[in-house]
Structures are given as C-alpha cells and as structure tokens.
Amino acid sequence: MSFLGILIILGILIYVINVIPVFMPPTWTILAFYYINFHSPFIPTIIIGAFAATLGRITLYYISKNHFRRFFSKESIDNYDALGDFLKKRQKLSIPLFLTYAFFPISSNYVYIAAGLAEVDIKILAASFFIGRLMSYSFWVSASHIAITRVEDIFSNHVSNVSVIIFEMVGLIIVVLIGKIPWRKILKK
C-alpha cells in the first residue's frame, strides 16, 4: 500500500477513535504503531493525527452538546452552563488550561463531552488541542520509536557482540563459584 493510502486510512481511524467517547486506545499509540510498523513519514503522520483527532473531538463535542444534555438533570445542566460561562469570560485562563491538557498523553474525550455540555467555545478548545497535540504526538511517537529501536538494538546486537558474550560468561562463572562457597559455615562465624 502507498504512503498516501496508509495516511488516509490512518486519518480515518484516528477520526473514528476520537469520536467514540470511551474504550478507545490513545491516539499517540496508533500514530506510533503506524510510524514504526508502516514507516509512515513522521511529519505527515503527526499532522494528520492531530488534525483527525481534533476533527473527531469536535464531532464528539457537538454530539455531547446536541444529544447528551437531555440525559442530565436541570441542576446538572445549570452547573455545566455556569462552568461554560466562567470559561467564556476567562479566555486568558481557558486557553492555557486547554493547551496544557493537550500536552498530556491522556484521553481528552471527557473534556470534550464536558465542554459540549457546558457549551464552551469550541474554536478556542479545538485550536488549543490541535497545537498541543502536534507537540505531544511528536514527543510520544518519537519516544516510542526510540524505545522500540533501543530494545531491538539491545536484543539484535546482544549476542553478536564478543565483549558482551565474554561478560555474560564471566557472570555465569561467578554465579557457579558463589554456589561453591560454603555460606552456612562462613555466615555462622
């Protein structure tokens, strides 16, 4: 399959898992999987991931706003409205708050559900989310790639390196020699 086909499928997958409100894997894990296993180009993978995740979360926001509110009591809706009013009046607080949250590798689905219920300004939330996710996905995908590469290097080069083989043999000999020491006699003295 071509890189374009892989990236299109990736975008659709990321969009769908970000619309579904529960039990979905973190987006960065899917991006890392694609980057490592399909060798998808890093920058397009991150941009498509952040864009599709943002679109998916915007969709979840509107589903929450238009359909979930009816499942809450009048008191709960009043509380959400108060939260929404608070955040609308304090955009200088909400932008850094949303941006900071977007850096963490934790699910944002509940933030978007609550934001939809509170009718928070979706433009501010989505822009902050997109910028934060561009950065956090870059970090987590890179970290995953480095971790996988290092583990593969350790196991692939471990047995072929002569010094490692010698070191391992010396370690095994030491274990055998420690077993030959009469510890009961030595430790009683």
Side-chain angles (χ1 to χ4, degrees):
M1 180 176 285
S2 70
F3 282 135
L4 181 60
I6 289 171
L7 293 175
I8 290 170
I9 291 170
L10 175 64
I12 292 168
L13 176 63
I14 296 301
Y15 173 79
V16 168
I17 68 170
N18 279 276
V19 170
I20 299 172
V22 293
F23 306 121
M24 290 293 108
T27 301
W28 70 267
T29 61
I30 304 296
L31 296 174
F33 177 82
Y34 265 73
Y35 179 64
I36 292 165
N37 291 306
F38 295 115
H39 308 288
S40 60
F42 183 79
I43 292 173
T45 298
I46 299 303
I47 292 171
I48 287 169
F51 184 74
T54 303
L55 286 180
R57 291 305 190 208
I58 290 170
T59 303
L60 180 59
Y61 167 91
Y62 281 109
I63 291 170
S64 176
K65 179 180 174 181
N66 297 324
H67 301 289
F68 292 174
R69 285 176 67 92
R70 67 177 148 212
F71 296 108
F72 290 85
S73 68
K74 170 95 171 90
E75 181 182 0
S76 292
I77 293 302
D78 288 343
N79 292 336
Y80 274 111
D81 289 342
L83 177 62
D85 291 340
F86 176 83
L87 291 172
K88 286 174 195 169
K89 291 175 185 171
R90 290 170 181 82
Q91 289 184 359
K92 289 182 180 178
L93 170 68
S94 59
I95 292 171
L97 181 69
F98 296 149
L99 187 59
T100 301
Y101 187 83
F103 279 100
F104 293 105
I106 53 179
S107 180
S108 61
N109 52 344
Y110 302 114
V111 170
Y112 276 85
I113 292 169
L117 292 170
E119 298 182 347
V120 170
D121 185 353
I122 188 61
K123 293 182 293 288
I124 292 171
L125 177 58
S128 300
F129 179 79
F130 179 74
I131 292 166
R133 289 304 200 210
L134 278 175
M135 293 180 221
S136 68
Y137 291 164
S138 296
F139 172 78
W140 290 111
V141 170
S142 296
S144 299
H145 183 259
I146 289 167
I148 292 296
T149 304
R150 297 295 184 254
V151 170
E152 286 176 353
D153 287 347
I154 289 168
F155 287 108
S156 65
N157 295 329
H158 191 70
V159 177
S160 63
N161 191 333
V162 173
S163 62
V164 171
I165 293 171
I166 292 170
F167 183 76
E168 295 290 341
M169 294 305 292
V170 169
L172 288 173
I173 291 169
I174 290 171
V175 169
V176 170
L177 292 176
I178 289 173
K180 300 286 184 184
I181 297 172
W183 290 106
R184 206 174 302 282
K185 291 180 186 177
I186 294 172
L187 294 175
K188 281 186 180 180
K189 295 180 182 182

